[in-house]
Amino acid sequence: MRKILASLLLSGLAFAEAVPRADNPEQAYADSFKKRFAADLRHPPESEARLNKWFRDDKFGVFIHFGAYSPLAGQYKGNPMGGPYAEWAMMAFRIPLKEYREEVVSKFNPQEFDADEWARVFKETGMKYVVITSKHHDGFALFKSGVTDYNIVDGTPFQRDIIKELEQACHRHGLKFGVYYSQAFDWSEPGAPFPEQEAIRQIHPDLPADFEANDKTMAEYLAKKSYPQLEELMKNYKIDLLWFDTPASMKPEQGRRFLEIVRRNNPDCVVNSRLLYWPKEEWKPEQLEFFDYVSLEDKEVPPHKLSLTTESPDSVSTSYGYKVHGPVRYHTLQEIIHRFVHTVCGGGNYLLNFGPMGNGQVDPKALGLFQGVGAWIQDNGESIYGTQPNPLPARPAWGDANLSKDGKTLYLHVMKWPADGKLLVEGMPAQATEASFLSPKAANAKIAFVQKGPNLHLTLPGAALDPNDTVVKVSLAEPLQSAAKN
Ligand code: H79
């Protein structure tokens, strides 16, 4: 188990530099994907059927990291957190469980939380599904649980079931609803795996001297808490997606038990790959029965279409939980739109996270970014939902490209506007018959073009219609299909 934890930590550290250092970082990045996604990998038919119900077409979800750590915002007793993740506060400050319950959990009271308001914001941003932390690594449940009173209804003055209220609001608004559940890490349980061994006794100072965490204590923790809470979630809520995270020391038979609970309660529920596997894996055919789609690394964007269906868990900032203290940086709207569009043109889903503030409101910086994305989606959603990935031989230097579901329309995402107005599309797999802007603001403006074999030359106006991504719609003489490129 120690070895697995060590390798988890190493991958955690590798994460800190998501783009590998090299003379040509983009090439190194693409090469790492080539190693991880062999060209002949295929999801089993059951996963194909589940993914085709909604997940593949919906493309865009919201990820929510909300918990007792949210009011801390990356600071405890006046000390700011050094690390990137505000949701790691209990571990970063080595807060003993008893103190965490008294000082953090029993003060969690997000009075402004309004599930309908959140759902309305998500819809206006263009998000189609929601994934919220039902239990993060601190072990605290955001739902009513009979397994332990260490949950929002029984352990806080708030006493309301956030998972229930949000599940119902999402379904009322036509959004799919998923939960994040930290199945292995649970810092309220000394028998569960810890990222660093000395943390066990710092967080649980009253442990008997002969206590030793091992495979047996892990199995006991799973049987006592993890499996029963997953059963509660699947029985008491309508769950469309299960997002497991951080598979430290999990065994295949334990993964099978989790999957059995999910599938028995809802055979259509989509499951991510972090039940047993950290994303830096080189995927093997025998692993594919344990998940429906691959969760890429935290904040990782695919370089091109991959042989398996993926989702990029991105965030509006460098943290997932709400963080204002210590190091933190928010993305610009342009960065978010580019990361979103590159993800979708790479055939993946984009799961954009924000951390609600301790009072339960969406923080103003996240809200501003959401409004910007929503405005862009309003004009350009046709180039996102239900699309196929980039059918060109490579990602163009000026942006990216993708294809409509029927294969008859190529969308050119122009992110770097050409100074002379001349845009070259190389490797056109079919003849262009018409070109126009996708935005209704310029829908009647026809774009002049000339195609010589695989080279399509377009003449664009002097200035970009949209400073972040102007979408040009190109009709094709014959329909295309996008194929995996690695
Ligand atoms: O929920 C979010 C993270 O809290 C969670 N995944 C996303 C979606 C996550 N759990 N583990 N990891 C990510 C691996 C990360 C390890 C790190 Fe660290 C956390 C690297 C830096 C901070 C702990 C502290 C390990 C090294 C320093």
Side-chain angles (χ1 to χ4, degrees):
M1 183 175 85
R2 305 290 163 249
K3 228 173 96 190
I4 296 169
L5 282 176
S7 74
L8 171 78
L9 267 181
L10 285 176
S11 43
L13 293 172
F15 150 82
E17 298 170 25
V19 178
R21 258 179 271 157
D23 291 346
N24 184 345
E26 269 183 39
Q27 190 53 48
Y29 197 53
D31 286 349
S32 97
F33 279 88
K34 201 168 182 170
K35 262 182 83 181
R36 286 151 62 192
F37 291 86
D40 57 354
L41 293 168
R42 292 292 173 270
H43 293 288
E46 305 79 48
S47 292
E48 285 288 319
R50 266 179 223 119
L51 293 170
N52 284 336
K53 284 206 159 85
W54 60 272
F55 186 83
R56 280 183 175 140
D57 281 350
D58 279 6
K59 302 290 182 203
F60 188 21
V62 61
F63 204 9
I64 308 167
H65 275 63
F66 195 35
Y69 48 76
S70 300
L72 304 180
Q75 176 173 265
Y76 190 61
K77 296 193 168 164
N79 297 313
M81 254 178 94
Y85 293 163
E87 67 277 14
W88 278 60
M90 185 194 210
M91 184 56 60
F93 294 109
R94 300 293 204 264
I95 307 171
L97 177 63
K98 191 164 166 286
E99 181 181 326
Y100 194 71
R101 291 194 65 153
E102 283 166 12
E103 299 291 329
V104 182
V105 169
S106 72
K107 292 180 181 161
F108 186 48
N109 196 8
Q111 281 299 321
E112 307 298 321
F113 169 70
D114 179 343
D116 267 300
E117 173 64 14
W118 282 15
R120 199 183 53 74
V121 168
F122 304 154
K123 277 206 85 152
E124 284 178 5
T125 309
M127 290 137 163
K128 302 281 189 189
Y129 64 102
V130 176
V131 181
I132 184 170
T133 47
S134 68
K135 184 195 89 167
H136 204 265
H137 304 334
D138 63 1
F140 174 68
L142 236 59
F143 56 99
K144 165 78 182 164
S145 174
V147 174
T148 160
D149 64 357
Y150 186 48
N151 73 74
I152 186 140
V153 176
D154 300 312
T156 76
F158 192 56
Q159 296 184 336
R160 281 160 53 192
D161 185 335
I162 287 184
I163 299 301
K164 177 61 85 184
E165 290 183 28
L166 191 60
E167 181 251 298
Q168 292 181 340
C170 287
H171 287 135
R172 267 200 303 278
H173 286 86
L175 296 162
K176 297 280 186 240
F177 182 76
V179 286
Y180 171 112
Y181 187 83
S182 174
Q183 75 281 15
F185 272 7
D186 187 320
W187 302 328
S188 71
E189 293 287 334
F194 274 64
E196 285 155 291
Q197 286 314 296
E198 68 275 15
I200 303 181
R201 279 174 198 280
Q202 291 169 320
I203 289 177
H204 300 277
D206 300 331
L207 278 174
D210 62 351
F211 177 85
E212 197 207 324
N214 52 34
D215 286 354
K216 186 164 166 277
T217 63
M218 166 69 167
E220 284 164 1
Y221 147 69
L222 293 178
K224 181 181 80 172
K225 183 167 182 186
S226 245
Y227 303 138
Q229 283 200 332
L230 184 63
E231 191 84 49
E232 288 181 324
L233 284 166
M234 295 305 301
K235 272 214 168 64
N236 301 340
Y237 309 82
K238 202 184 159 303
I239 308 285
D240 303 303
L241 187 152
L242 221 309
W243 218 99
F244 292 107
D245 198 16
T246 318
S249 86
M250 287 276 298
K251 298 192 169 55
E253 63 268 25
Q254 294 167 335
R256 258 193 204 100
R257 179 82 185 272
F258 278 104
L259 285 175
E260 185 278 322
I261 296 169
V262 174
R263 303 275 180 247
R264 170 163 44 75
N265 285 285
N266 179 7
D268 290 340
C269 184
V270 174
V271 177
N272 79 334
S273 55
R274 292 199 194 178
L275 177 58
L276 288 177
Y277 309 114
W278 194 252
K280 279 279 192 263
E281 291 277 342
E282 286 171 33
W283 297 104
K284 296 174 193 71
E286 62 271 23
Q287 298 173 329
L288 302 180
E289 66 168 292
F290 291 99
F291 58 87
D292 293 317
Y293 72 86
V294 172
S295 282
L296 294 182
E297 279 260 32
D298 292 358
K299 309 210 71 186
E300 193 177 54
V301 168
H304 54 65
K305 181 174 160 57
L306 302 165
S307 51
L308 297 174
T309 292
T310 65
E311 178 186 60
S312 295
D314 204 2
S315 185
V316 293
S317 80
T318 41
S319 181
Y320 284 83
Y322 181 58
K323 192 169 194 281
V324 288
H325 305 285
V328 61
R329 186 180 88 83
Y330 278 72
H331 282 295
T332 62
L333 176 60
Q334 178 159 89
E335 285 170 346
I336 296 277
I337 289 178
H338 288 185
R339 293 165 70 83
F340 180 16
V341 169
H342 283 314
T343 299
V344 172
C345 291
N349 276 29
Y350 189 66
L351 187 64
L352 179 58
N353 174 82
F354 78 106
M357 299 188 295
N359 68 1
Q361 286 176 328
V362 183
D363 89 89
K365 282 188 193 152
L367 193 60
L369 291 168
F370 285 179
Q371 283 164 346
V373 172
W376 184 85
I377 279 274
Q378 182 81 28
D379 283 357
N380 300 292
E382 182 191 311
S383 71
I384 295 292
Y385 306 118
T387 55
Q388 303 187 61
N390 179 12
L392 303 173
R395 182 190 280 184
W398 41 258
D400 217 328
N402 62 340
L403 194 63
S404 62
K405 190 169 229 178
D406 64 10
K408 292 180 184 165
T409 306
L410 178 69
Y411 300 104
L412 309 176
H413 295 268
V414 188
M415 299 174 183
K416 286 183 203 133
W417 199 259
D420 59 1
K422 307 252 175 279
L423 192 82
L424 170 62
V425 186
E426 291 173 296
M428 281 291 288
Q431 187 66 39
T433 58
E434 210 183 315
S436 60
F437 291 109
L438 178 57
S439 168
K441 290 179 189 122
N444 297 325
K446 288 281 168 256
I447 298 170
F449 64 89
V450 179
Q451 187 170 350
K452 292 184 191 121
N455 288 347
L456 174 66
H457 301 264
L458 299 121
T459 306
L460 303 177
L465 219 63
D466 186 306
N468 299 314
D469 175 12
T470 304
V471 184
V472 174
K473 203 175 155 162
V474 177
S475 304
L476 302 172
E478 69 237 42
L480 296 177
Q481 290 294 314
S482 293
K485 288 202 180 64
N486 45 340

